[in-house]
Amino acid sequence: MKKIIIIAGIVFSGLITSCNDVADEFLTTETKSTVDESILFSTPDLAKGAVDGIKVPFAETNSYRGRFLGYYGMNSDIEWFNASSTVDNKSDLCTYDAKANNTEMNTTNNVWAMSYSGIERANICIRGLRKYGNPVAGSELGQLLGEALALRAIYYADLLRAWGDVPARFEPINSETIYLPKTNRDVIYKQLIADLGEAENLVAWPNASTYTSSVERINKAFVKAFRARLALVASGYQQYPDGIHRSTDPDLAKDKMYALALSECRDVINSGTVHLESSFESLWRKYNQEDLTANAEPLWELPFADGRGRMLFTFAVKHTSASDQYQANGANRGGVGGPLPHIFYDYDQADTRRDVTCVPYKYGTAVAGKAKQELGSLNTWYFGKYRYEWMKRYVTSTNDDGVNKIYMRYAEVLLMAAETANEIEGPTAAAPYLKEIRKRAFPSTAWAQKVDAYVNALTTKDAMFNALVDENKFEFTGEMDRKMALIRWNLLKIKLDEAKTKMTNLISRTGEYATVPTTLYFKYKADNETLEIYGLNRGETTVQDPAVYTAWTWVALDAAKVNSLYRVGVNPDARQFWPIWQVFIEGSNGKLVNDYGY
């Protein structure tokens, strides 16, 4: 399955051209390709190749693979770019200080261009399937039309969350639509929500057909969950050119969109086609082992071939050597981002998500091909959800690892259901969904206190909402969706400032961090690779036998890095979006402009 997007690209070689060539070549596409399209989109095997080709732009060099997934979502109240205090074009993207000429992004093959390439591919497929394919529910061509609609929605949803208002293209390019101005995002959100409403009636449930046996293909559970997410985002707070507010479009009113989201989430929950993994660690072990079986927790994964994609390359627990017993992906791979230093201490000590999510060590220099875990500093933690050491493959490419991106998983469905049920029906209706999440997080011996007593005490809407904001933090740290959620809750700057205060208190060991130790003690287990650490937990201050343990001072968090969560003098609420890159402004024939003070 992971090879499919490479092969699929061939199908489009005669159907789509680059943005640079569009004026000369694309305008006659209808004339040149009508006969071919009549065969292509009426033949399931051929149409499948064309729809798979919609995914090709995800993996292009400066697209999702090496840019969007690496930078968007960084620097929330739970995760950050580990080099945030270094002022350069990379950190600017994360610290709310990006410029239109940013050298990491200001290229003609960037994610903006690649997203519109994917949208154009989708538009061609959608037009062709509708015109030639008779795509009805239950048919292969119906499944493929649903997939094309959903894939187009994914590209647009990510354009909207990164840039706000963007040009809307829902038909293949013609001579009159080469250059377009930005469209009010409300118009696009309404189209996407309608498209996904159509798509959910066309695609099969997970594992209900050969098409939906893998999480690399679009299924009904994902489409419904994604539609719920977009309904919440579209009706949530966000920065418009005239300020931060909810949409004023009555079709996107909060009550209407929350009701839609709750209905879609309950459909997914009641379907029984997806479920939480039995343990948090097993979820992430299976992810790193590239288990693509549908009917589990991941709803859809953005697919990368073995030689493309940089999820571990970018976010894994850091490996110092170019090769060791777990990888040959190159030197200093992983560790580009990590949890904020205080997050480990915000988890309940009994929460099994903590040690999976927050890792305080890296793998050091390999000796005779073997590297050992080594403690770092309080300044720098790593995302334990991404681990070369949990893979089954041995990565030998020095540029990419090929591990997919989980775009959405069932835990988000439960938390969206809790949020919307709380708003519409009250905290009692939300409680069962939150309890399900926490039961997976805590051992059964702790359920009476950590699940039942905790959730039952949330008797007001505000108390439940605040608990859900926290639960999202503990569940999703390292998945880079927090920034999007904070924006729609109108909590972006509030929570970023709260995180700065928390880290400042951690430096001085005051307030809620007064009992965090300043000295760690470590030794190696029998495998002479794995650390056994004393002193990570609050109150672990007993001096350990120096004949057995080595002492390690744990005090390296500094104020300069804390303040780099967002740039001094920058208001994150005024920089919720990136600027459109200069190359696209200049190539727009005067149609595109930047808002938000850029």
Side-chain angles (χ1 to χ4, degrees):
M1 285 297 292
K2 293 174 75 66
K3 305 293 191 296
I4 200 166
I5 60 173
I6 296 175
I7 299 168
I10 299 171
V11 175
F12 262 98
S13 60
L15 288 179
I16 190 167
T17 62
S18 71
C19 294
N20 293 335
D21 297 332
V22 72
D24 296 328
E25 298 182 31
F26 198 86
L27 302 184
T28 57
T29 294
E30 183 73 27
T31 300
K32 292 190 296 184
S33 66
T34 297
V35 175
D36 293 338
E37 285 192 30
S38 68
I39 298 171
L40 180 65
F41 293 113
S42 62
T43 308
D45 285 347
L46 295 177
K48 179 175 177 289
V51 171
D52 284 332
I54 298 169
K55 305 172 201 173
V56 170
F58 285 130
E60 298 291 356
T61 297
N62 290 330
S63 186
Y64 280 67
R65 161 194 174 268
R67 293 297 185 269
F68 186 77
L69 295 178
Y71 295 114
Y72 184 83
M74 284 283 93
N75 289 43
S76 66
D77 64 332
I78 57 176
E79 54 222 348
W80 64 0
F81 184 63
N82 270 327
S84 288
S85 56
T86 301
V87 179
D88 60 16
N89 283 283
K90 292 180 179 179
S91 65
D92 284 355
L93 294 168
C94 307
T95 56
Y96 302 87
D97 201 22
K99 316 298 192 302
N101 62 353
N102 183 284
T103 57
E104 291 293 309
M105 293 290 192
N106 190 35
T107 62
T108 56
N109 65 346
N110 190 251
V111 63
W112 174 284
M114 291 301 100
S115 293
Y116 278 106
S117 173
I119 288 166
E120 183 65 14
R121 288 166 179 255
N123 286 340
I124 291 171
C125 288
I126 291 165
R127 179 188 66 184
L129 286 164
R130 284 181 168 154
K131 187 172 182 179
Y132 302 112
N134 189 28
V136 297
S139 70
E140 289 183 78
L141 294 176
Q143 170 75 31
L144 293 170
L145 175 58
E147 289 195 27
L149 289 166
L151 290 167
R152 183 173 69 180
I154 289 165
Y155 280 116
Y156 268 122
D158 289 337
L159 284 167
L160 291 169
R161 68 169 163 167
W163 284 280
D165 297 336
V166 299
R169 295 187 182 278
F170 290 100
E171 296 290 340
I173 295 172
N174 60 45
S175 60
E176 296 178 355
T177 61
I178 299 173
Y179 304 107
L180 292 176
K182 292 188 289 188
T183 301
N184 185 305
R185 76 198 67 165
D186 293 353
V187 174
I188 301 176
Y189 275 124
K190 288 195 293 184
Q191 182 68 54
L192 301 185
I193 290 167
D195 285 347
L196 293 173
E198 178 183 359
E200 70 182 30
N201 292 319
L202 293 171
V203 299
W205 287 103
N207 224 22
S209 77
T210 55
Y211 275 95
T212 59
S213 61
S214 165
V215 292
E216 291 185 331
R217 298 206 74 92
I218 301 295
N219 61 65
K220 193 186 297 287
F222 167 70
V223 174
K224 283 180 167 290
F226 187 41
R227 192 172 187 231
R229 178 197 278 182
L230 290 191
L232 294 182
V233 172
S235 64
Y237 290 94
Q238 52 195 296
Q239 186 183 11
Y240 288 86
D242 63 346
I244 295 173
H245 55 78
R246 293 185 185 274
S247 171
T248 57
D249 190 318
D251 290 334
L252 299 178
K254 179 182 176 182
D255 58 349
K256 183 178 292 187
M257 291 294 97
Y258 271 52
L260 173 62
L262 179 57
S263 175
E264 295 287 28
C265 288
R266 282 179 168 160
D267 282 353
V268 175
I269 293 166
N270 294 334
S271 74
T273 61
V274 286
H275 60 271
L276 291 182
E277 185 60 46
S278 58
S279 77
F280 200 68
E281 181 173 321
S282 67
L283 164 65
W284 291 101
R285 282 187 177 274
K286 286 184 177 181
Y287 163 74
N288 286 281
Q289 291 166 1
E290 300 172 292
D291 184 341
L292 304 178
T293 306
N295 199 226
E297 184 163 349
L299 302 181
W300 183 72
E301 293 184 8
L302 197 159
F304 290 113
D306 289 354
R308 302 298 284 174
R310 291 186 165 190
M311 289 305 294
L312 271 62
F313 178 102
T314 305
F315 295 121
V317 175
K318 185 175 181 178
H319 283 249
T320 304
S321 292
S323 64
D324 57 31
Q325 68 270 40
Y326 295 116
Q327 58 82 37
N329 206 188
N332 296 311
R333 296 305 189 227
V336 171
L340 299 188
H342 68 277
I343 294 299
F344 179 87
Y345 300 103
D346 288 353
Y347 279 95
D348 188 297
Q349 189 171 318
D351 193 331
T352 62
R353 296 172 294 192
R354 184 192 70 169
D355 293 353
V356 173
T357 301
C358 303
V359 171
Y361 57 77
K362 62 182 178 181
Y363 281 80
T365 302
V367 177
K370 183 175 180 178
K372 300 197 296 186
Q373 296 173 358
E374 295 179 354
L375 284 172
S377 70
L378 188 53
N379 251 358
T380 305
W381 289 72
Y382 303 110
F383 295 131
K385 292 176 175 177
Y386 312 100
R387 307 194 195 206
Y388 290 103
E389 49 273 27
W390 284 353
M391 291 187 72
K392 288 183 176 179
R393 276 191 300 118
Y394 185 77
V395 178
T396 56
S397 167
T398 57
N399 288 317
D400 294 80
D401 54 73
V403 177
N404 288 351
K405 158 69 177 174
I406 296 181
Y407 195 82
M408 202 170 188
R409 58 186 178 88
Y410 183 58
E412 185 177 346
V413 176
L414 291 170
L415 288 172
M416 289 191 299
E419 181 182 349
T420 50
N422 179 55
E423 183 66 27
I424 297 168
E425 301 168 1
T428 301
Y433 307 122
L434 178 54
K435 284 183 177 181
E436 188 170 347
I437 290 289
R438 289 182 69 85
K439 280 183 177 179
R440 201 261 297 273
F442 291 92
S444 58
T445 54
W447 285 358
Q449 184 65 32
K450 305 299 183 181
V451 179
D452 294 329
Y454 173 81
V455 175
N456 291 344
L458 304 171
T459 57
T460 67
K461 282 187 177 182
D462 285 347
M464 177 60 77
F465 173 76
N466 291 332
L468 291 170
V469 170
D470 282 344
E471 204 66 36
N472 273 270
K473 171 173 71 174
F474 300 133
E475 184 69 25
F476 295 118
T477 293
E479 297 176 58
M480 278 61 79
D481 285 330
R482 179 69 165 182
K483 178 179 174 181
M484 176 177 62
L486 293 179
I487 288 171
R488 73 175 179 84
W489 291 328
N490 201 22
L491 291 175
L492 181 63
K493 186 175 186 299
I494 290 171
K495 287 296 183 180
L496 288 174
D497 288 343
E498 182 181 295
K500 284 189 174 185
T501 299
K502 283 174 172 283
M503 286 190 284
T504 300
N505 290 343
L506 179 57
I507 292 173
S508 60
R509 301 303 199 276
T510 57
E512 66 269 53
Y513 307 106
T515 59
V516 172
T518 58
T519 302
L520 304 183
Y521 299 87
F522 71 88
K523 66 178 181 178
Y524 285 99
K525 296 182 179 181
D527 62 6
N528 197 34
E529 171 191 327
T530 308
L531 285 171
E532 181 176 307
I533 307 169
Y534 175 86
L536 276 176
N537 294 317
R538 297 171 185 270
E540 290 185 344
T541 57
T542 303
V543 176
Q544 299 297 294
D545 184 352
V548 178
Y549 286 88
T550 300
W552 185 271
T553 303
W554 193 236
V555 291
L557 182 60
D558 63 82
K561 186 161 184 182
V562 170
N563 285 329
S564 73
L565 186 60
Y566 62 83
R567 289 273 188 268
V568 174
V570 171
N571 176 5
D573 278 336
R575 287 287 185 269
Q576 291 185 354
F577 302 111
W578 283 333
I580 300 173
W581 314 119
Q582 194 64 35
V583 66
F584 302 120
I585 296 287
E586 293 174 353
S588 72
N589 201 29
K591 295 290 188 179
L592 295 179
V593 296
N594 269 313
D595 294 300
Y596 322 118
Y598 285 116

